[in-house]
Amino acid sequence: MQQSPTHEVRAVFTDETITVYQAYAARIANPALESGTFVDPFKRDRMTWIKPSFLWMMYRCGWATKTEQERVLAVEMSREGFEWALSHACLSHFDRSRFATEAGWREALRSSPVRVQWDPERDLGLNPLPHRAIQIGLSGPAVDRYVDDWITGIRDVTPLAHAIRRKVADGDLEAARALLPPERVYPLPAEAADRVGPR
């Protein structure tokens, strides 16, 4: 039996947009929902992490129960922006197939506006799975592009997170699974795959 790839971007996407998730306190989430993008008190000078995997976001925010992560936002962004980000990214770990020296990697990491790391994907129990989910850190000009140009809409999916968590707590995994966003493998362009994919 053929084994599935361990590194794939799985997401909800259309021909034009891809959905990524972020979790914030209400003081950041509410103005963002009203404005359709991130506004003050959101800080552009900090790295902001976007996650296409709903369940990895649930693992990170504890089903929207962790402090400062009580509101989960589904952010629609342009596929053009998403692919630009990956095409300008540097992996957060040293990869000998890409860099001859660790010093060279550190310099690339320092100068890159986008950082990528692959972490174990999660199941409904938030347990690690064999394949990985991508996390994308935006900084500097990438944050400005994200906020000003790439975001096309923001939805509050905190109620969905709570509903799925209740189904899981009740032991009704089939019902919980039916509520999950329908993620599928995202077709990465060659340049983006070369920057962030396995070799």
Side-chain angles (χ1 to χ4, degrees):
M1 187 171 68
Q2 188 174 9
Q3 194 172 19
S4 298
T6 57
H7 294 65
E8 286 181 327
V9 176
R10 295 174 179 84
V12 174
F13 60 91
T14 68
D15 289 344
E16 302 295 332
T17 65
I18 181 171
T19 301
V20 296
Y21 300 97
Q22 295 187 264
Y24 288 106
R27 68 177 183 279
I28 293 177
N30 287 340
L33 287 162
E34 292 171 7
S35 302
T37 190
F38 290 101
V39 294
D40 189 65
F42 175 86
K43 302 297 184 187
R44 292 186 183 222
D45 57 355
R46 296 180 59 182
M47 181 168 286
T48 186
W49 288 89
I50 58 176
K51 307 160 183 69
S53 166
F54 181 82
L55 280 175
W56 205 94
M57 183 73 260
M58 294 304 100
Y59 164 72
R60 182 69 181 84
C61 71
W63 298 103
T65 63
K66 292 184 179 179
T67 303
E68 301 288 301
Q69 299 185 64
E70 301 93 346
R71 300 284 292 282
V72 180
L73 304 178
V75 182
E76 304 292 327
M77 65 178 292
S78 70
R79 287 179 59 168
E80 181 181 5
F82 182 76
E83 292 168 10
W84 183 96
L86 295 187
S87 297
H88 291 77
C90 181
L91 289 173
S92 61
H93 66 276
F94 176 49
D95 183 348
R96 293 183 185 279
S97 71
R98 287 182 166 86
F99 297 96
T101 65
E102 189 167 344
W105 162 71
R106 290 191 182 282
E107 173 57 27
L109 189 67
R110 186 195 64 76
S111 61
S112 174
V114 182
R115 184 175 299 183
V116 159
Q117 62 188 51
W118 293 90
D119 297 302
E121 181 61 284
R122 301 287 158 162
D123 64 13
L124 280 166
L126 305 186
N127 304 299
L129 292 169
H131 58 275
R132 306 230 156 204
I134 195 169
Q135 327 303 326
I136 303 156
L138 308 175
S139 64
V143 175
D144 290 335
R145 287 173 182 246
Y146 178 60
V147 172
D148 295 332
D149 303 324
W150 298 343
I151 293 176
T152 63
I154 301 179
R155 293 176 290 115
D156 188 346
V157 291
T158 311
L160 176 63
H162 291 166
I164 295 174
R165 186 190 188 202
R166 284 194 297 270
K167 296 293 185 185
V168 172
D170 291 341
D172 194 348
L173 297 186
E174 185 176 347
R177 197 169 289 111
L179 293 175
L180 288 173
E183 295 172 2
R184 53 201 171 105
V185 177
Y186 186 90
L188 281 183
E191 184 180 2
D194 185 61
R195 291 293 289 250
V196 303
R199 287 183 170 178

